[in-house]
Each structure stands twice: as structure tokens, then as C-alpha cells.
Amino acid sequence: MNDRDLIFRNISDNPLRSWITGICTALVAGLIIFAYLLVSGAQESLTRVTQRLGADIAVIPAGDQILVEEALLMGNPISIWMPRSVVDEVASIKGVEVVSPQLYLSTMRGASCCTVSDMFMVAYDPLTDFTVSPWIIKNLDSPLGLGQGVGGTYIRNTAGRDDILIYGYEIDLVGSLEPTGSGLDQSLFFTYETALEVARLSPMQAEAALVLSPDSISTALVKISEDSDPKVLAKEIESKVRLVSAIPADNLFRSQRDHLESLKRNLGMFSVIVWVMSVVLIGFVSAAAVLGRRQELGVLRVLGATQTRLMKMLFSESALITIAGVIFGVTLSTAVLLLFKNLITHSLNLPLYFPSLPAYLILVLGIMLIILASVFLALLLPILKVTREEAATV
């Protein structure tokens, strides 16, 4: 019987050791990758949303910060308004370089005149915009025209159509933006000109008209000069412009970041506890299994097996069980995250960005190597004890 056959026979002949090792490694691997994908995915998504906005300060109607953050992160449609005169008032403040307005809209729920129900839409001013246009030009090499729109990564044309129907108006979807893992991935962007045209024609084309005032905006995104402090300037804007909240970029999504830090600590602590307990349990069970095979190993020594060969065989048994457990745990956790992503993100009120396939595979490989090293360390002492014993003594 060669070493490979002997390894597989020993695995099947020690079901208790095999099952405990497999379950423990699956639990540790699954928990680690679940915690890592959740925490790092939320952090990456928050970073990408902040970069996508590209503003130093966001000026919104007073008291609507939570609504705006949830719209941007979770794609919740909202309708908030403030007068367009806010743009000129903010622009007149010293230290402000550019002010660009945006208007938040949503489609009707369950209406035949809208391809996507309850979709978050953003209308922007291409003449002053410095947040959406760079991403659009990066992907399309040209600005959007009348009747054109660009969607988040999840916005696609429906089968048999080359456009998206908004209040009966056909928006030509000319491209998709890079994923952020947030509500922006399921949002639609077009110009103010297109928004006004949709509103003008909606009484004749839609089940209900889109009421839109040309003098209304939802938010004003501010770019400041290099020598200005965004926090100081935000306070000045709030003191000079009535009924608005000026939020520095660093303070956007503050509650989500605090929640994420708490989640990170709790998941990290729980993962370490489970890891340590699993390694200790694997060590005890495997040590008992190895020590119980002293006579078998002694016979192999008499038949000419070297200490190195025996150690290689014992470590290979544990490696096969560990790898199988890690693959199962990682696959199960990833499947849960993918299948229940919306439920998880809405329960935690956090966005979730999934890494690319190469990055994911590198992560899985890293987890596998760490767990293999932990299992090997737990087995090192009993294996050395047994393999170093004289065959005659055994």
C-alpha cells in the first residue's frame, strides 16, 4: 500500500478526528471570510461613494442628512427640495471655488410608464458638475446629451428594448459606471435638461405627472480652495445660508462608519475566540488520534519508514481535511453573502462591495495558509513525540 492509499485509509478510519477537524476549519474559515468581506466590503463601498461624490462639502436641506446618506448608500429614492438660489448664496462665500447642484428623483412604484420601479435618479448640471461628469467621460469619452442617461453597474436595458422608460419618456442608456457596492450601482444619472423634458412630457405620457420646479435642487456639492478648511467653511455656510446643513466630506456617513467600527471590533473578537478554541480542540483530538496510532507508526518504522516520511504522511492527512473544511466554509459563507446581500445590507444599513475574483481568490488562499499553519502547529508536538520514539520501544 502506497502513502496516498494509507493517508486516505487513515482519514476514513478516524471519522471523529476527521469530522471535528473539518467542521472546526470550516467554521473558522467561513467566519473569517464572512467578517472580512462584510467589513472590508463596507469600508471599500463607503470610500468609493465618497470618491464618486468628489465634493469637499455637501449642502442639503436642514435635517435631511440621514435621508441623503441612505439614498446614496442604499439607493432609497427620496424627494428633498431647496431653492436654487442656495447655489448663488454658497458660491458668494469666500473659499468656495465651485458649486454644482443636483436633483434627486424617483420613478413611480409599479407603474407601466417606468421600466424600473422606485429607482433612485440623479439629475446634474453639466456646466458646473465636477462629480458625475469625470466618471461619465472616463467611461464614455463624451458628456451626456438630451435624453441620454448613464446607470450604475446594475442598471441594464430590459430585454427587447434599447432604452429605459421614465414617466413614459425613453432614456437612452449609453453606459454604466464602475461599481461602488452602494445604492449608486442601481441609480440612473442624466442632465437637468433631460429631467425638465421628462417632467414636461410626463402629463401626456405617464400615469401621473412628474412635478418638477426648475428652481429647485436637492443638494449643492461644493469644491473649496486649497487653503480653506472644509469644517470651518461648512459652519460659515450654515451661518449665512438659511435652512441648510453643510456637511464636510469627512463627516458624511459618520454614523455608518461608527457602526462599521463597532461591527469590526465585535466580529474580530468573535473570530479570534472561535479560532483559538477550534485550534485547541483540533490539537487535542488530533493528538489523541496520533498517540493512539503509536503501534501502527512503530510497525511502519520497523518496515523502513523514516521519521520524515511519517511526519509528511501525518501532516498530509491533516492538510487534506483542513483544505476540504476551508473550501466548504468559504463557499458556504460567500454563498450566504451573495444570496442574502440585500437583506444583510439593509439590516445593517451598510453598503457592500465585493472584491474582484483575483482578489477574492488571493484572500481565500491567504485564509487557507493561515489555518493550515495553525493546524500544523497544533499537531507538531504530538507528531514529533510519536515519530521520534524508537520502534523497538513502541
Side-chain angles (χ1 to χ4, degrees):
M1 181 179 292
N2 57 36
D3 288 354
R4 186 183 63 182
D5 295 334
L6 191 59
I7 288 171
F8 283 106
R9 195 200 72 179
N10 287 329
I11 291 176
S12 62
D13 288 346
N14 293 274
L16 179 63
R17 187 277 303 262
S18 301
W19 276 104
I20 289 179
T21 302
I23 291 173
C24 287
T25 52
L27 180 63
V28 173
L31 184 60
I32 289 176
I33 199 164
F34 184 89
Y36 183 88
L37 288 177
L38 187 62
V39 172
S40 66
Q43 287 178 331
E44 178 67 16
S45 186
L46 289 172
T47 300
R48 284 174 175 252
V49 173
T50 304
Q51 290 175 345
R52 179 69 57 85
L53 291 176
D56 298 310
I57 300 173
V59 180
I60 62 175
D64 286 336
Q65 180 175 350
I66 294 178
L67 288 176
V68 171
E69 290 177 343
E70 289 184 350
L72 295 173
L73 292 181
M74 312 307 295
N76 299 333
I78 59 171
S79 294
I80 59 173
W81 313 90
M82 60 184 180
R84 195 181 182 92
S85 59
V86 168
V87 174
D88 295 329
E89 293 181 59
V90 173
S92 66
I93 297 176
K94 184 179 179 181
V96 173
E97 283 192 350
V98 184
V99 184
S100 182
Q102 288 186 351
L103 184 63
Y104 298 153
L105 306 168
S106 66
T107 55
M108 291 185 290
R109 177 173 297 179
S112 60
C113 59
C114 298
T115 304
V116 182
S117 177
D118 263 356
M119 181 172 63
F120 181 49
M121 301 182 294
V122 179
Y124 68 97
D125 181 3
L127 297 178
T128 60
D129 178 69
F130 57 89
T131 61
V132 180
S133 296
W135 296 91
I136 292 175
I137 293 174
K138 180 180 178 181
N139 289 272
L140 302 179
D141 298 325
S142 62
L144 293 182
L146 177 65
Q148 291 183 325
V150 63
T153 189
Y154 294 133
I155 301 297
R156 294 285 186 272
N157 293 325
T158 55
R161 297 190 65 95
D162 296 325
D163 53 58
I164 290 183
L165 208 59
I166 303 298
Y167 289 89
Y169 187 92
E170 296 177 354
I171 299 286
D172 182 18
L173 188 64
V174 295
S176 296
L177 298 176
E178 295 177 2
T180 64
S182 70
L184 294 180
D185 292 342
Q186 45 198 356
S187 303
L188 184 65
F189 301 84
F190 42 74
T191 65
Y192 259 94
E193 184 184 16
T194 298
L196 292 173
E197 187 69 3
V198 172
R200 185 181 70 83
L201 297 175
S202 63
M204 297 169 283
Q205 298 177 334
E207 299 174 24
L210 173 61
V211 180
L212 177 59
S213 171
D215 296 324
S216 295
I217 63 173
S218 297
T219 182
L221 300 178
V222 180
K223 197 171 189 65
I224 66 175
S225 58
E226 293 184 1
D227 57 346
S228 298
D229 186 335
K231 293 183 179 180
V232 174
L233 200 55
K235 291 181 179 179
E236 186 177 353
I237 291 173
E238 289 184 346
S239 66
K240 293 184 176 180
V241 183
R242 297 179 61 250
L243 302 177
V244 301
S245 295
I247 309 167
D250 291 343
N251 290 346
L252 273 172
F253 317 122
R254 175 61 61 188
S255 60
Q256 286 83 359
R257 295 182 194 279
D258 293 340
H259 178 43
L260 183 59
E261 284 301 316
S262 175
L263 188 66
K264 181 179 179 180
R265 287 193 300 270
N266 293 334
L267 284 176
M269 185 181 302
F270 185 61
S271 298
V272 170
I273 291 173
V274 172
W275 186 1
V276 172
M277 292 179 62
S278 296
V279 169
V280 171
L281 181 58
I282 291 171
F284 276 120
V285 173
S286 299
V290 170
L291 294 174
R293 294 167 56 190
R294 291 173 66 247
Q295 291 186 345
E296 174 193 337
L297 297 174
V299 170
L300 292 174
R301 289 288 300 277
V302 170
L303 293 176
T306 63
Q307 180 186 3
T308 302
R309 182 183 174 188
L310 292 180
M311 292 181 65
K312 180 180 177 182
M313 184 179 67
L314 293 171
F315 278 130
S316 296
E317 293 174 15
S318 297
L320 286 175
I321 300 172
T322 299
I323 291 172
V326 169
I327 292 174
F328 178 78
V330 163
T331 302
L332 183 61
S333 287
T334 304
V336 168
L337 272 176
L338 289 172
L339 292 173
F340 300 100
K341 178 186 175 183
N342 290 337
L343 178 62
I344 293 171
T345 54
H346 283 87
S347 297
L348 298 175
N349 197 30
L350 288 172
L352 184 59
Y353 175 82
F354 274 93
S356 62
L357 182 59
Y360 173 78
L361 293 177
I362 291 173
L363 172 63
V364 172
L365 180 61
I367 292 174
M368 186 177 293
L369 292 176
I370 292 173
I371 295 178
L372 276 172
S374 302
V375 172
F376 285 174
L377 287 175
L379 291 174
L380 186 59
L381 187 60
I383 288 178
L384 286 175
K385 176 178 174 60
V386 171
T387 55
R388 285 181 176 178
E389 287 184 312
E390 291 293 335
T393 302
V394 175

